[in-house]
């Protein structure tokens, strides 16, 4: 099992390329199930989660070709020969549940294992089920699998989500493209990954309006064709790398970064004393003069502060001046990075969904353990500025969502290496 060793090495500088979005690619790939013509994705990220989705789609009979070192994915669902998404794959990655809506719409039936919980929460699927049943699906939970049937096809309907769930919006949006008639999604998720999915579906012939707002309207069509679509920039990878110069000092340019993808996040960086400027290549980030100031953060659905950047922001707040209160409103257990940061000398008090961070002058390197994808990278960020050496173990979590993470941090001048069996 690999570890990553990082040593505080002063201010950073350099240009970092930002990859295509993991969370866009994981919903764009299942969209191939909606059509018998090829779907090609460019700017795809090279991540283990993409490999897992490839494995799942292949198990259903899709042909998936990975070209140009994994940055181009060519998929064909012409010959689907299996409609069961097996537990062994689904339990590895919750996003596997995004094959449910498209498979049901295309084949009229689908059997998808419930993903089960994960480190950050129970991750139920009640909103996915509610939305698909509103379109006429009959869904039964049996032996840990959702058995979904739409013997007469799907019919457009109004679906009001009790919570703006990203995955439920994606599953129902994809299913609705082939439903008879009109579907209106109310309190739909507004994330950029939803807009990216809708853009790709329109390229395939779908009729969708309102994506990016809370109300999405879909006119069902008889069939969808093939398309070629570039995966949108990864706003979570972007925000993560923007925090590196914020924590260490220096100036870094994130190539491909777009301010519209990280609006609420940049407001908090500005409040904390970090400058973000748009360049013709992306976003340039530098610490303004003096120590970082503590800020309060509450995670919310887009366009609010993203839960996927909460752990990374906490790493910044550990050495900020003052007291910062971070409220995690999206997941029930997303502070597992806190005790690890405490091992490095951070002062963090967690009560339920609220973490109170009292800034200290500097953290001290220590052996720490990665527990989930975003917690892992927050420990790396903390280690970049800590005094001495930090060894982050179980870094397989990182490989799920950060391509070439060591090389990218090295590209900024960080002292970092990946070691095996540490
Ligand atoms: C997506 O997960 C992302 N994953 C997550 O990123 C991200 O944290 C999350 O959206 C919120 O932005 C992918 O896109 C692959 P949700 P998803 O449905 O779709 C509850 C990362 O680090 N809920 O918006 O699962 C749920 O339990 C990952 O890249 C229900 O109660 O998120 C959670 O508390 C982590 N019932 C909240 O809503 C449901 O039917 C948010 O879930 C569905 C969700």
């Amino acid at each position: 099992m690999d570890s990553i060793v990082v040593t505080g090495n002063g201010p950073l500088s350099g240009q970092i390329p930002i990859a295509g979005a993991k969370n866009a690619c994981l919903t764009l790939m299942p969209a191939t199930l909606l059509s018998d013509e090829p779907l090609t994705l460019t700017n795809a990220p090279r991540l283990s989660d993409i490999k897992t989705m490839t494995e799942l789609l292949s198990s259903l009979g899709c042909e998936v070709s990975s070209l140009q070192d994994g940055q181009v994915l060519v998929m064909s669902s012409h010959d689907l020969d299996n409609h069961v998404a097996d537990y062994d794959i689904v339990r590895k990655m919750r996003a596997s549940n995004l094959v449910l809506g498209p498979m049901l719409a295309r084949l009229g039936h689908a059997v998808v294992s419930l993903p089960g919980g994960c480190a950050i929460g129970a991750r139920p699927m009640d909103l996915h089920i509610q939305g698909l049943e509103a379109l006429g699906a009959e869904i039964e939970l049996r032996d840990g699998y959702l058995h979904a049937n739409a013997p007469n096809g799907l019919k457009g309907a109004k679906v009001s989500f009790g919570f703006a769930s990203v995955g439920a919006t994606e599953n129902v949006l994809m299913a609705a493209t082939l439903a008879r008639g009109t579907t209106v999604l109310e309190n739909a998720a507004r994330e950029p990954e939803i807009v990216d999915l809708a853009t790709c579906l329109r390229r395939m012939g779908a009729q969708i309006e309102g994506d990016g707002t809370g109300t999405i309207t879909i006119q069902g069509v008889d069939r969808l064709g093939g398309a070629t679509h570039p995966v949108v920039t990864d706003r979570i990878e972007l925000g993560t790398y923007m925090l590196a110069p914020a924590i260490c000092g220096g100036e870094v340019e994130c190539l491909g970064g777009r301010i519209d993808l990280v609006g609420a996040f940049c407001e908090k960086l500005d409040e904390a004393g970090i400058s973000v400027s748009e360049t013709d290549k992306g976003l340039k980030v530098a610490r303004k003069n003096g120590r970082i100031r503590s800020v309060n953060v509450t995670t919310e659905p887009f366009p609010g502060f993203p839960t996927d950047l909460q752990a990374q922001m906490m790493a910044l707040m550990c050495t900020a001046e003052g007291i910062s209160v971070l409220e995690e409103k999206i997941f029930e257990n997303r502070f597992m990075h806190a005790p690890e940061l405490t091992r490095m000398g951070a002062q963090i008090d967690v009560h339920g969904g609220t973490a109170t961070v009292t800034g200290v002058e500097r953290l001290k390197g220590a052996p720490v353990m990665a527990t989930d994808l975003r917690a892992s990278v927050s420990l790396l960020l903390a280690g970049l500025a800590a005094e001495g050496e930090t060894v982050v173990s179980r870094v397989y979590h990182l490989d799920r969502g950060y391509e070439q993470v060591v090389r990218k941090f090295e590209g900024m001048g960080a002292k970092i290496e990946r070691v095996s069996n540490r």
Side-chain angles (χ1 to χ4, degrees):
M1 207 179 285
D2 289 2
S3 298
I4 290 180
V5 183
V6 57
T7 308
N9 193 34
L12 301 174
S13 66
Q15 295 183 318
I16 302 302
I18 303 300
K22 166 180 86 79
N23 290 347
C25 202
L26 289 175
T27 190
L28 291 164
M29 291 176 75
T32 183
L33 295 165
L34 291 164
S35 169
D36 58 5
E37 294 180 22
L39 174 62
T40 297
L41 298 177
T42 60
N43 194 39
R46 283 72 60 90
L47 302 167
S48 59
D49 270 9
I50 303 308
K51 290 191 173 72
T52 303
M53 183 58 81
T54 298
E55 184 190 343
L56 173 59
L57 292 174
S58 303
S59 76
L60 303 175
C62 293
E63 288 171 29
V64 184
S65 306
S66 173
L67 311 173
Q68 292 180 29
D69 186 27
Q71 284 197 295
V72 174
L73 299 171
V74 181
M75 298 168 287
S76 167
S77 301
H78 187 271
D79 301 319
L80 294 179
D81 57 11
N82 172 28
H83 64 276
V84 180
D86 196 83
Y87 176 59
D88 279 346
I89 300 178
V90 177
R91 69 183 172 79
K92 278 195 287 189
M93 184 182 68
R94 169 180 168 74
S96 305
N97 64 17
L98 293 172
V99 301
L100 176 60
M103 199 157 41
L104 182 61
R106 170 90 182 283
L107 300 178
H109 52 259
V111 179
V112 176
S113 168
L114 271 182
C118 74
I120 62 177
R123 315 294 296 272
M125 283 187 62
D126 55 307
L127 298 172
H128 299 242
I129 294 165
Q130 169 215 329
L132 294 172
E133 286 181 334
L135 298 184
E138 296 156 8
I139 301 180
E140 184 195 354
L141 174 61
R142 216 166 52 233
D143 308 325
Y145 283 77
L146 291 175
H147 292 257
N149 286 287
N152 307 314
L154 297 173
K155 191 172 178 306
K158 186 171 93 170
V159 177
S160 295
F161 290 115
F163 174 83
S165 157
V166 172
T169 300
E170 290 164 345
N171 247 330
V172 182
L173 170 59
M174 286 190 278
T177 60
L178 293 179
R180 290 189 311 282
T182 304
T183 296
V184 178
L185 306 184
E186 290 181 339
N187 195 27
R190 300 165 53 182
E191 274 70 5
E193 294 76 37
I194 304 285
V195 175
D196 203 39
L197 173 62
T199 304
C200 178
L201 292 169
R202 276 190 287 265
R203 284 199 167 107
M204 295 168 72
Q207 293 181 23
I208 303 168
E209 290 177 353
D211 44 293
T213 76
T215 302
I216 302 177
T217 303
I218 306 104
Q219 301 294 346
V221 295
D222 293 336
R223 63 183 298 280
L224 292 180
T228 295
H229 177 79
V231 178
V232 69
T233 301
D234 193 322
R235 62 194 170 96
I236 305 303
E237 188 194 29
L238 170 60
T240 301
Y241 287 121
M242 289 170 73
L243 281 167
I247 288 176
C248 299
E251 182 178 272
V252 169
E253 185 175 24
C254 296
L255 306 179
R258 286 174 21 202
I259 204 90
D260 64 303
L261 295 173
V262 283
F265 176 69
C266 287
E267 283 170 19
K268 285 298 172 182
L269 291 187
D270 180 58
E271 207 181 308
I274 295 138
S275 75
V276 179
S277 51
E278 292 183 88
T279 69
D280 57 357
K281 292 181 188 159
L283 296 180
K284 190 171 279 187
V285 185
R287 181 189 288 190
K288 296 173 189 165
N289 49 14
R291 197 173 164 195
I292 295 297
R293 295 187 296 272
S294 292
V295 298
N296 296 331
V297 169
T298 300
T299 62
E300 298 172 312
F302 195 88
F305 190 99
T307 174
D308 292 349
L309 285 172
Q310 176 261 108
Q312 300 91 313
M313 192 68 181
M314 186 183 287
L316 176 67
M317 291 293 102
C318 287
T319 53
E321 188 165 18
I323 294 177
S324 159
V325 177
L326 296 101
E327 282 193 288
E328 174 52 61
K329 293 279 192 186
I330 304 295
F331 289 104
E332 58 265 38
N333 184 34
R334 206 170 195 178
F335 286 136
M336 285 172 295
H337 41 287
E340 300 303 311
L341 291 167
T342 304
R343 286 177 52 73
M344 298 172 72
Q347 290 185 17
I348 307 171
D349 194 22
V350 174
H351 281 290
T354 301
T356 303
V357 183
T358 304
V360 297
E361 278 291 326
R362 193 174 187 198
L363 298 181
K364 279 182 71 59
V368 290
M369 187 173 73
T371 51
D372 60 87
L373 170 57
R374 307 303 176 182
S376 319
V377 81
S378 83
L379 301 175
L380 282 189
L381 287 170
L384 285 174
E387 183 187 340
E389 181 180 271
T390 298
V391 182
V392 182
S393 60
R394 300 190 179 185
V395 291
Y396 58 84
H397 290 292
L398 269 172
D399 297 334
R400 296 190 54 179
Y402 290 92
E403 67 169 44
Q404 300 169 337
V405 64
V406 170
R407 185 187 302 179
K408 290 193 177 184
F409 277 123
E410 274 175 336
M412 304 181 197
K415 191 174 176 194
I416 183 170
E417 63 168 331
R418 187 171 186 134
V419 296
S420 298
N421 306 321
R422 179 110 177 185

